[in-house]
Amino acid sequence: MISTSSLTKYYGKTRGVDGLGLKVEQAEIFGLLGPNGAGKTTTIRLLMGLIKPTKGSAKIDKFDCWAQSVEVKRICGYIPGDVRLYQKYTGSQLIKLYREVRGGAKLADELTQRLDYDPSKKVKSLSKGNRQKLAVILALMHKPDVLILDEPTSGLDPLMQQEFYKILKEFKEDGSTVLVSSHFLPEIEHICDRVAIVKEGKLIVIEDVGELGGKHVKHLEVTFEKKPNIKNYQLPQVTDIKELINNTYKMKVKGDINPVLQALCKDKVKDLSFEHASLEEIFLEYYQ
Amino acid sequence: MIALTKKFFNDHKLGIILTTIGLVFYQWTLVSLYPMMQKIDIEALLKNYPKAFLAFFGGTELSFTSLEGFFNTEYLSLMYMIIVAGYLITLVTSELTKEVENGTLESLLSLPVSRATVLGYKYVNITLLTAFFTIIGIVPFMLMSVAYDFSFSIKAFLMVTLLTFLFFMAIAALTTALSVFFNERNKPTSIVLFILGYGYILNSLGQAFSKVKNYRFLGIFYYYSTAKTLGHKTIATNSYVVFGTIIIVSTIFAFYWFNKRDFAN
Ligand SMILES: Nc1ncnc2c1ncn2[C@@H]1O[C@H](COP(=O)(O)OP(=O)(O)OP(=O)(O)O)[C@@H](O)[C@H]1O
Ligand SMILES: [Mg+2]
């Protein structure tokens, strides 16, 4: 549904993306994961025909994203990374304007309700999260076949994020294709089928999210009632273990966590916390 | 797509209304002053001033006591020009650069409209507004003059209306092209103001001093000679050529550039 080949964009001499090749299937939720400045927004703007590729090309459905951007935009819904809307307009006025220009807004009321958004307020008086909700409504209300979302949950509170993920899953079930960028791994793991990891404008790897989860490291911090038998934790999955303070240990777990959990059951645990690997660690993983 | 036109006029409602009221009121004042001016022997009064001085302020093409001459000196050649040109420059730059600066154009362009359509709508609206300000700035004076039974040539006024439209359109088109190119307000504004200011001074000096006379054609006001048009009831060919060229070249450039440039703010 979405494909790019050697997609390259230089802003003058600054690298935006360099030789990106992606293929996103229909009814797939595809993540674009990378640190700041990786080129996620650049890729998305290329897809939306807002900037012209220096080299290579991008296609959505059968349309070229630059030369046939009107056709592309007809089947897409887009949430920009930095949402900026007409300040003097209220939500309902904008919904009306977009409906008149684009045609179709059958989901507007439903989305407004589900996201608990008040459309009577002017954009300039909205909080960041509420502005984001409006952007979500504007991008999704005509039920597009393709969703291009640049960090769509930024500013949304956890409850709204969950609702938004639910909406995305429903879109997917109805056959829509979603491309979503993020620099937050758990989010990608939570909603995506596949993910492309980009860094410094280059594609590092495309992975099924299921496999990604098995591969990357998690940090486990556990406090025991009394000194445990450390030998029990010398498992292949535990790559590093050290005692922080009395009876509190930090372990690095890679891959399947179940053997570790089984080992933990044999000791009395007072406190336990998991922390996902940072993006940096994931990248290191793929560089090794 | 009517929505975009509605939005344009809605966004600029207040400015349009205020400028219209201002222009109509100004013309009404002029019409009520004219009978009084006729009574004063201005020509005699003016004889005491050096010719160069008079030429600098409005030229010697027309008799000041004629309705055309009075309208030209008191309104058309300066006040009206400043008000409308100023308003147009502000409006065009804001319409074309503010959306880029504020990032709202990115949202607009994510809708299934082509860049040419987005600019086309803005351009048509700007043209409509320019025509409106030309008409509202001259026709009420004409109509009131008819009502007061002043003697004047309707053709002269119609020709000057057309000339004024071409002049303002040239300014609007040039400002459009510069705004699309620079994406910010200050540069297009100062360039256009410079062209107008320098053109005005050059033309005025040219009327007063024979040394400069031959260089008047380098300034835009040489082609916006309201006095000549009112006096001769025709528009000089070179005015058509110059304004026409500015309009066409600026418009083509604006669309060309708008179509190929990046929107990544
Ligand atoms: N309009 C622009 N002009 C010049 N350089 C730009 C522009 N936009 C992006 N860049 C550069 O391109 C590179 C990629 O930026 P991009 O915005 O695509 O990153 P990103 O992955 O979206 O980052 P973030 O997570 O911070 O949003 C950066 O080095 C950035 O400085
Ligand atoms: Mg970004």
Side-chain angles (χ1 to χ4, degrees), chain A:
Chain A
M1 196 65 180
I2 305 172
S3 66
T4 68
S5 74
S6 6
L7 189 63
T8 303
K9 175 70 192 180
Y10 274 81
Y11 301 96
K13 281 203 174 112
T14 320
R15 182 258 327 135
V17 283
D18 198 349
L20 201 66
L22 296 175
K23 220 175 166 85
V24 182
E25 303 300 332
Q26 205 207 327
E28 180 178 36
I29 302 185
F30 191 90
L32 206 54
L33 185 66
N36 295 133
K40 305 182 293 292
T41 300
T42 303
T43 308
I44 282 176
R45 283 188 167 137
L46 285 162
L47 288 174
M48 291 306 294
L50 291 164
I51 53 182
K52 187 179 181 177
T54 313
K55 233 181 67 196
S57 65
K59 258 183 160 179
I60 294 185
D61 203 352
K62 50 187 179 296
F63 306 112
D64 183 272
C65 291
W66 175 255
Q68 296 165 290
S69 78
V70 179
E71 283 79 1
V72 165
K73 291 183 289 190
R74 195 162 286 132
I75 56 172
C76 285
Y78 169 55
I79 302 181
D82 182 10
V83 172
R84 287 179 294 179
L85 300 161
Y86 294 115
Q87 297 279 313
K88 288 187 206 151
Y89 279 63
T90 65
S92 13
Q93 284 171 331
L94 274 177
I95 290 172
K96 184 161 168 273
L97 178 74
Y98 276 48
R99 190 187 63 218
E100 282 171 9
V101 176
R102 183 163 57 191
K106 54 185 172 190
L107 298 181
D109 292 337
E110 186 197 324
L111 288 169
T112 307
Q113 226 168 35
R114 288 179 70 174
L115 293 172
D116 191 21
Y117 167 72
D118 173 8
S120 64
K121 282 192 182 149
K122 284 194 175 179
V123 170
K124 70 169 166 236
S125 69
L126 291 179
S127 67
K128 179 163 164 38
N130 281 314
R131 219 174 319 144
Q132 194 70 25
K133 287 182 193 173
L134 177 55
V136 171
I137 295 168
L138 292 173
L140 270 52
M141 66 184 189
H142 58 302
K143 199 143 204 321
D145 293 336
V146 179
L147 296 178
I148 308 283
L149 314 172
D150 196 355
E151 301 189 23
T153 50
S154 74
L156 295 183
D157 65 41
L159 214 65
M160 284 306 142
Q161 283 183 10
Q162 291 307 321
E163 190 60 36
F164 178 71
Y165 297 152
K166 235 163 89 191
I167 295 170
L168 283 191
K169 293 234 160 92
E170 291 167 18
F171 264 82
K172 173 189 147 88
E173 276 156 24
D174 291 343
S176 293
T177 309
V178 183
L179 183 120
V180 53
S181 84
S182 177
H183 47 232
F184 190 47
L185 181 65
E187 174 172 86
I188 293 283
E189 281 190 300
H190 188 59
I191 57 174
C192 293
D193 302 313
R194 285 194 303 150
V195 59
I197 299 182
V198 286
K199 194 181 183 186
E200 287 165 11
K202 293 212 160 64
L203 179 67
I204 291 175
V205 71
I206 298 182
E207 280 277 16
D208 280 342
V209 163
E211 280 171 40
L212 188 73
K215 261 186 199 163
H216 76 244
V217 287
K218 295 174 192 70
H219 298 284
L220 191 88
E221 206 175 300
V222 54
T223 311
F224 297 97
E225 292 262 304
K226 55 179 195 286
K227 207 150 196 82
N229 185 359
I230 282 299
K231 282 228 171 73
N232 289 341
Y233 296 94
Q234 278 158 1
L235 302 160
Q237 288 84 2
V238 179
T239 53
D240 187 28
I241 182 163
K242 61 174 179 261
E243 187 166 9
L244 293 179
I245 37 171
N246 280 343
N247 297 341
T248 297
Y249 291 82
K250 195 166 185 146
M251 301 179 204
K252 221 176 184 176
V253 183
K254 190 174 167 183
D256 191 5
I257 54 168
N258 284 299
V260 185
L261 291 176
Q262 274 156 17
L264 282 170
C265 287
K266 290 175 194 138
D267 287 301
K268 260 207 144 64
V269 175
K270 224 160 107 183
D271 195 9
L272 177 68
S273 74
F274 263 113
E275 201 184 298
H276 286 273
S278 68
L279 263 187
E280 230 14 78
E281 282 171 298
I282 303 244
F283 292 129
L284 282 177
E285 203 93 339
Y286 285 104
Y287 276 132
Q288 278 160 9

